[in-house]
């Protein structure tokens, strides 16, 4: 999901200070964390414009716009194939973003479950499930960052297909988790009477889904095959290799 908000402000990266807080919160995943830190009420007070809300709090609306603009991330797949550049992109665009996405999604999920526990479409258990996803994803990314990626940046070795194989298995688990996430959230489609927090939660989950799919695609289909072919040609995984 790539949020696009019309702008009348030069340099505001697609954001409009006259838009309502609730509209921005729903359209721009991650904005809720900014609003919460600044104590701007995007849920019950979501009809108030960003400009008015900032003025009421004595805040610099242009500074808020600049911070929100950093949350607008392209969903385009880059035409990168050189391993070091591709790894740097994966780290910045996906690893760092997942670490920022999940804590706020977990917080909103628990909030929605508590406030709307009597609603027939409440995503019961979503907060706990997101916490388990976060734990698995953080562990996975840590292994890539400390073990696999440094090896790949040095050109790989004859045995690198083994840690790659482990990462591929874990990617399958991430795919299963996304299927469960879709089941819990009705494909990230909020009910018609959902509050702004609920809508923002599902917008963020939709972005997490897209980001994780693109993240896995770049590793499985662009990065890893370059080194797997080299490992096979060097004998790893063949009958003459003891690591198989």
């Amino acid at each position: 999901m790539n949020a696009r908000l019309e702008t009348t402000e030069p340099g505001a990266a697609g954001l409009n200070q006259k838009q309502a807080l609730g509209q921005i919160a729903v359209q721009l995943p991650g904005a809720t964390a900014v609003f919460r830190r600044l104590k701007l009420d995007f849920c019950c007070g979501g009809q108030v414009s960003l400009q008015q809300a900032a003025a009421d709090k004595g805040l610099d609306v242009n500074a808020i716009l600049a911070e929100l603009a950093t949350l607008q991330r392209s969903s385009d797949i880059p035409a990168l194939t050189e391993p070091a550049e591709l790894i740097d992109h994966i780290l910045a665009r996906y690893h760092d973003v997942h670490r920022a996405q999940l804590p706020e999604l977990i917080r909103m999920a628990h909030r929605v479950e508590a406030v709307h526990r009597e609603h027939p479409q409440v995503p019961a258990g979503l907060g706990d499930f997101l916490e388990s996803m976060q734990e698995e994803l953080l562990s996975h990314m840590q292994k890539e960052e400390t073990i696999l990626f440094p090896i790949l940046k040095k050109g790989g070795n004859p045995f690198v297909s083994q840690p790659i194989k482990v990462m591929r298995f874990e990617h399958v688990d991430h795919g299963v988790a996304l299927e469960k996430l879709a089941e819990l959230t009705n494909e990230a489609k909020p009910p018609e009477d959902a509050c702004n927090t609920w809508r923002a939660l599902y917008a963020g989950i939709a972005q997490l889904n897209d980001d994780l799919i693109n993240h896995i695609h770049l590793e499985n289909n662009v990065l890893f095959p370059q080194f797997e072919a080299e490992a096979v040609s060097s004998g790893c995984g063949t009958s003459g290799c003891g690591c198989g």
Side-chain angles (χ1 to χ4, degrees):
M1 176 180 293
N2 184 20
R4 293 295 183 195
L5 306 180
E6 294 181 2
T7 182
T8 57
E9 297 297 318
L15 297 170
N16 184 342
Q17 65 176 275
K18 295 183 179 180
Q19 286 180 292
L21 292 177
Q23 180 185 5
I24 297 173
V26 171
Q27 292 185 356
L28 184 61
T32 57
V34 176
F35 292 158
R36 184 165 52 85
R37 177 171 53 78
L38 297 175
K39 299 187 181 343
L40 299 177
D41 182 6
F42 63 88
C43 198
C44 297
Q47 73 280 1
V48 177
S49 72
L50 174 62
Q51 182 180 41
Q52 184 61 54
D56 290 345
K57 293 281 188 179
L59 300 172
D60 183 348
V61 70
N62 289 321
I64 299 173
L65 284 169
E67 183 173 0
L68 292 173
T70 66
L71 300 174
Q72 293 185 305
R73 306 178 179 106
S74 174
S75 60
D76 295 340
I77 301 294
L80 296 173
T81 57
E82 198 280 321
E85 291 183 359
L86 185 54
I87 288 170
D88 287 343
H89 172 77
I90 289 169
L91 292 173
R93 176 60 185 85
Y94 298 110
H95 285 213
D96 289 350
V97 171
H98 295 328
R99 287 190 172 99
Q101 288 170 320
L102 281 158
E104 181 66 7
L105 293 179
I106 290 167
R107 188 200 68 80
M108 286 194 290
H110 285 306
R111 176 68 176 170
V112 167
E113 289 183 71
V115 173
H116 302 286
R117 56 185 174 275
E118 303 300 330
H119 195 289
Q121 292 178 261
V122 68
L126 178 59
D128 289 344
F129 183 73
L130 286 169
E131 286 182 0
S132 70
M133 279 191 70
Q134 177 179 240
E135 182 179 349
E136 294 297 326
L137 195 54
L138 289 177
S139 172
H140 176 85
M141 294 190 298
Q142 182 71 11
K143 282 181 277 190
E144 289 186 332
E145 291 165 6
T146 60
I147 300 172
L148 180 59
F149 285 173
I151 295 173
L152 300 187
K153 279 195 166 187
K154 292 179 181 178
N157 62 44
F159 311 105
V160 76
S161 60
Q162 297 308 304
I164 287 176
K165 185 177 181 180
V166 173
M167 295 301 99
R168 284 188 179 276
F169 278 136
E170 293 187 3
H171 287 168
V172 173
D173 292 338
H174 297 330
V176 172
L178 287 178
E179 291 176 1
K180 176 64 174 178
L181 192 59
E183 179 183 333
L184 283 170
T185 62
N186 187 33
E187 304 285 347
K189 296 174 184 175
E192 291 186 4
D193 59 344
C195 66
N196 286 334
T197 298
W198 199 337
R199 293 180 183 278
L201 167 65
Y202 279 15
I205 284 174
Q207 185 190 63
L208 172 65
N209 178 80
D210 291 348
D211 282 352
L212 191 50
I213 288 173
N214 289 340
H215 176 184
I216 292 171
H217 159 69
L218 283 176
E219 292 184 0
N220 277 2
N221 301 325
V222 183
L223 179 62
F224 293 167
Q226 299 180 57
F227 296 92
E228 289 167 321
E230 179 181 347
V232 170
S233 67
S234 298
C236 186
T238 68
S239 59
C241 175
C243 72

